[in-house]
Amino acid sequence: MSDNLPPPPPEQPQPSPWAPPATPPGKSQRTGLIVSLAVGGGLVVAGALVALVYSLLDSVSDSIALPPARSDAPYSDPYDEEPYGEQPYGEQPYGEQPYGEQPYGEDPAEKKPVGEEPETVTSGPAAEKDVTITKCVRDSLIGWQHADLTIVNGSRSPAGYVVFVEFLDAKGTVLTDGIATTDDLAPGASVKVKAQGVGEVPTGTTCRVKQVTRDPM
């Protein structure tokens, strides 16, 4: 008869007296949300404080005026003092004139002997008589004509000469011309020059002095 008895029920574990109380469902989720909101709010407040401090520092730095830089230039004397060593305007010491200056209108180099008139540029018969044609030759190879001239300075001062020569055919028609020059010819001195024509001319062409200019030096 004892074999038909039911087995005893299993033993239930007994809770420990030191174990924390059981967390009710849904409470853990609310705790995480609170922690997240607290952390986010702290970051927002910290950012606002940093921005406020930066703006205050910027406004303070703009309002502070830097002191003017000190000049390194040396101390200068008052403007009303005259520089050392300068003479008052219009005064010459001892009445002396500056070295090397001559009184106005008294240039020794420009003084000329009394009674002599300066030579001027001369042209015409007075200058033409100083020129003589010594030879009038036609080149047999190219047919060009030239005139050999002798110039004697008949003036009282050194002079330069410009002589214009014409070359004419048998009828007196001017075929071509030439020019001869000389510089700084002393009074009474002579020089030989040549006036060269340009272009071929026929046989029998003659030479003639057209104009002479004498320029005193």
Side-chain angles (χ1 to χ4, degrees), residues 92-214:
Q92 295 290 340
Y94 309 109
E96 296 180 357
Q97 295 180 353
Y99 176 76
E101 292 188 3
Q102 297 292 335
Y104 179 79
E106 297 182 4
D107 188 358
E110 294 182 356
K111 292 183 178 180
K112 300 182 187 291
V114 178
E116 292 188 6
E117 294 294 334
E119 294 282 347
T120 58
V121 177
T122 305
S123 60
E128 290 175 3
K129 66 181 183 180
D130 294 345
V131 180
T132 303
I133 298 177
T134 59
K135 189 183 295 186
C136 186
V137 181
R138 178 181 180 271
D139 191 296
S140 59
L141 295 179
I142 61 175
W144 288 21
Q145 193 97 355
H146 74 271
D148 292 335
L149 310 173
T150 299
I151 302 175
V152 180
N153 185 358
S155 66
R156 299 187 306 269
S157 61
Y161 285 82
V162 180
V163 183
F164 299 90
V165 178
E166 294 178 334
F167 302 96
L168 305 90
D169 61 8
K171 297 180 180 180
T173 304
V174 178
L175 302 175
T176 183
D177 55 13
I179 187 172
T181 62
T182 185
D183 294 327
D184 200 12
L185 186 62
S190 63
V191 65
K192 292 183 178 181
V193 294
K194 181 172 71 172
Q196 178 66 56
V198 179
E200 186 177 357
V201 296
T203 304
T205 300
T206 58
C207 305
R208 180 178 67 187
V209 175
K210 178 183 179 181
Q211 182 181 352
V212 178
T213 301
R214 182 175 61 199

Side-chain angles (χ1 to χ4, degrees), residues 5-32:
L5 292 175
E11 296 181 358
Q12 297 293 331
Q14 297 296 327
S16 174
W18 295 278
T23 304
K27 187 176 182 181
S28 60
Q29 295 180 358
R30 288 195 301 272
T31 303

Side-chain angles (χ1 to χ4, degrees), residues 17-129:
W18 295 278
T23 304
K27 187 176 182 181
S28 60
Q29 295 180 358
R30 288 195 301 272
T31 303
L33 179 60
I34 292 172
V35 171
S36 299
L37 292 176
V39 172
L43 292 177
V44 171
V45 172
L49 290 176
V50 170
L52 179 60
V53 171
Y54 180 79
S55 62
L56 290 175
L57 291 177
D58 192 14
S59 61
V60 169
S61 63
D62 291 341
S63 62
I64 297 176
L66 295 177
R70 184 176 182 180
S71 174
D72 295 331
Y75 175 78
S76 59
D77 295 333
Y79 293 104
D80 56 352
E81 295 185 3
E82 295 182 357
Y84 175 77
E86 290 190 0
Q87 297 293 334
Y89 178 79
E91 295 185 5
Q92 295 290 340
Y94 309 109
E96 296 180 357
Q97 295 180 353
Y99 176 76
E101 292 188 3
Q102 297 292 335
Y104 179 79
E106 297 182 4
D107 188 358
E110 294 182 356
K111 292 183 178 180
K112 300 182 187 291
V114 178
E116 292 188 6
E117 294 294 334
E119 294 282 347
T120 58
V121 177
T122 305
S123 60
E128 290 175 3
K129 66 181 183 180

